[in-house]
């Protein structure tokens, strides 16, 4: 039994959890719950359905179970459309959104859940390790780029582990709790012997805190997604700290078209930009560029 899957089984208020436990789907990637519809399981690039109809009351109960009966304590995450549970699994949520002047205040009347399964795959980064170091064998600044759901977080986690166990000081800003899957601040997934984690902390704030307090050689964080993140990356690299991060995208031109990534990409702040794909249990570097956007 995969013990990291137990937090997912424990979400379910009805027999669907038992059915999920009993059936062999292969490697489960996502579980989707929609009010009034059957449960959808995405595994090994196929969709399966469990004949169990969920109501909105079931969906609310699943969120309450994931939040340990305290949705209020997770209000900030839920306003961003997700809830991260033990094990680093992320539950995406849909429902009625309350907002004011474009600012999300809350979400209620939940109608859909997407449980994205976190999975530790030791060694998944083996083809990326050579790209993560400079000629002096020091960690360099590396941006990992792919479409959603390809495995960027899994790759970041394994690279952090390899670099840390190689003797380098690593700091992780785990804004959504998916990289290290901390419980009460302590990582439950392998992120390396010399790694320190700022859990449930906004990227920009956490990066600055790590630089001030932990003197990392490398800061690892997930998706760069706004001007604050951009500013923090610029600040870290300007301070002599390398950054390992990810972004959604498929081409250099697409990255450059986003205001918050344009300066980072065009000014060569990252030593390497690597576009990734997913193979059989490993991450595959498709295209790699240096800081001057030349193919390497």
């Amino acid at each position: 039994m995969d013990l990291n899957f137990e937090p997912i089984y424990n979400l379910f208020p009805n027999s669907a959890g038992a059915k999920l436990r009993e059936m062999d789907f292969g490697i489960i990637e996502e579980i989707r719950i929609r009010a009034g519809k059957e449960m959808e399981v995405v595994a090994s690039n196929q969709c399966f359905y469990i004949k169990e109809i969920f109501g909105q009351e079931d969906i609310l109960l699943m969120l309450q179970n994931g939040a340990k009966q305290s949705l209020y304590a997770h209000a900030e995450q839920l306003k961003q459309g997700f809830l991260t549970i033990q094990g680093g699994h992320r539950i995406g949520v849909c429902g009625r959104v309350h907002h004011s002047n474009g600012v999300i205040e809350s979400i209620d009347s939940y109608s859909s859940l997407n449980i994205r399964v976190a999975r530790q795959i030791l060694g998944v980064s083996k083809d990326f390790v050579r790209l993560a170091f400079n000629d002096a064998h020091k960690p360099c600044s590396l941006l990992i780029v792919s479409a959603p759901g390809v495995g960027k977080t899994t790759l970041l986690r394994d690279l952090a582990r390899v670099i840390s166990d190689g003797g380098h000081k690593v700091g992780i800003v785990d804004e959504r709790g998916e990289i290290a899957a901390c419980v009460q601040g302590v990582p439950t997934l392998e992120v390396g012997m010399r790694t320190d984690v700022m859990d449930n902390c906004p990227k920009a704030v956490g990066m600055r805190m790590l630089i001030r307090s932990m003197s990392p050689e490398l800061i690892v964080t997930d998706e760069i997604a706004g001007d604050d993140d951009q500013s923090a990356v610029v600040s870290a690299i300007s301070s002599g700290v390398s950054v390992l991060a990810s972004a959604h995208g498929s081409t250099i031109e697409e990255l450059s078209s986003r205001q918050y990534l344009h300066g980072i990409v065009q000014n060569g702040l990252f030593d390497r930009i690597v576009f990734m794909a997913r193979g059989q249990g490993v991450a595959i570097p498709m295209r790699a560029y240096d800081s001057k956007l030349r193919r390497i």
Side-chain angles (χ1 to χ4, degrees):
M1 180 186 298
D2 185 349
L3 294 179
N4 193 46
F5 224 86
E6 282 298 304
I8 293 177
Y9 295 138
N10 294 337
L11 293 172
F12 290 91
N14 51 32
S15 59
K19 292 178 181 178
L20 184 66
R21 189 188 292 265
E22 293 167 0
M23 298 178 72
D24 182 11
F25 297 101
I27 299 176
I28 296 177
E29 300 164 8
E30 294 181 349
I31 302 168
R32 292 179 177 265
I33 311 296
R34 300 178 177 96
K37 298 181 180 179
E38 296 177 354
M39 178 169 69
E40 175 185 312
V41 178
V42 179
S44 302
N45 296 317
Q46 298 183 67
C47 290
F48 303 89
Y49 294 90
I50 291 181
K51 295 185 182 299
E52 191 83 39
I53 303 299
F54 288 75
Q56 284 188 285
E57 65 280 2
D58 298 314
I59 290 173
L60 176 59
L61 185 52
M62 289 180 70
L63 279 176
Q64 289 173 334
N65 289 341
K68 305 297 185 184
Q69 312 307 318
S70 180
L71 286 177
Y72 177 79
H74 297 81
E76 288 303 313
Q77 272 195 349
L78 288 167
K79 283 196 293 186
Q80 298 178 61
F82 70 91
L83 171 68
T84 304
I85 64 172
Q86 184 175 344
H89 311 293
R90 183 171 61 174
I91 306 175
V93 303
C94 281
R96 182 175 59 186
V97 176
H98 300 270
H99 62 91
S100 176
N101 298 319
V103 177
I104 305 300
E105 296 178 338
S106 64
I107 302 177
D108 60 20
S109 300
Y110 301 105
S111 57
S112 300
L113 303 179
N114 177 24
I115 305 166
R116 293 182 59 181
V117 178
R119 192 170 271 107
Q120 175 119 45
I121 306 176
L122 299 180
V124 72
S125 66
K126 64 184 182 65
D127 291 331
F128 285 78
V129 172
R130 63 181 178 82
L131 297 167
F133 292 92
N134 60 24
D135 292 340
H137 204 67
K138 298 291 185 182
C140 65
S141 290
L142 175 62
L143 182 65
I144 303 295
V145 187
S146 80
V150 174
K152 292 187 294 295
T153 302
T154 303
L155 175 61
L156 290 178
R157 181 190 305 120
D158 200 54
L159 277 173
R161 177 187 66 84
V162 171
I163 294 168
S164 174
D165 287 348
H168 302 281
K169 292 182 292 182
V170 175
I172 294 177
V173 183
D174 203 359
E175 183 171 7
R176 297 181 301 202
E178 295 180 298
I179 302 175
C182 291
V183 175
Q184 299 299 316
V186 179
T188 62
L189 298 177
E190 294 292 334
V191 291
M193 293 182 61
R194 301 194 73 194
T195 298
D196 305 296
V197 181
M198 287 290 188
D199 182 47
N200 194 34
C201 182
K203 295 184 196 70
V205 174
M207 291 174 76
R208 295 182 179 109
M209 290 173 68
L210 282 170
I211 291 169
R212 286 197 301 266
S213 61
M214 305 306 293
S215 64
E217 296 172 66
L218 175 73
I219 289 178
V220 180
T221 191
D222 219 333
E223 296 157 16
I224 300 174
D227 292 337
D228 286 347
D229 295 351
Q230 176 202 34
S231 176
V233 168
V234 172
S235 177
I237 294 175
S238 299
S239 301
V241 179
S242 295
V243 174
L244 170 60
S246 65
H248 291 323
S250 57
T251 65
I252 288 290
E253 292 73 22
E254 182 182 347
L255 294 180
S256 297
S257 69
R258 299 176 195 157
Q259 181 178 349
Y260 59 86
L261 285 173
H262 179 84
I264 290 176
V265 172
Q266 294 299 323
N267 294 330
L269 287 181
F270 280 97
D271 299 299
R272 313 263 167 76
I273 298 176
V274 183
F275 290 83
M276 69 167 285
R278 181 169 57 185
Q280 293 295 322
V282 296
I284 301 171
M286 293 193 303
R287 301 186 307 279
Y289 299 83
D290 66 12
S291 61
K292 298 185 183 299
L293 304 183
R294 298 173 299 199
R295 288 287 293 268
I296 56 175

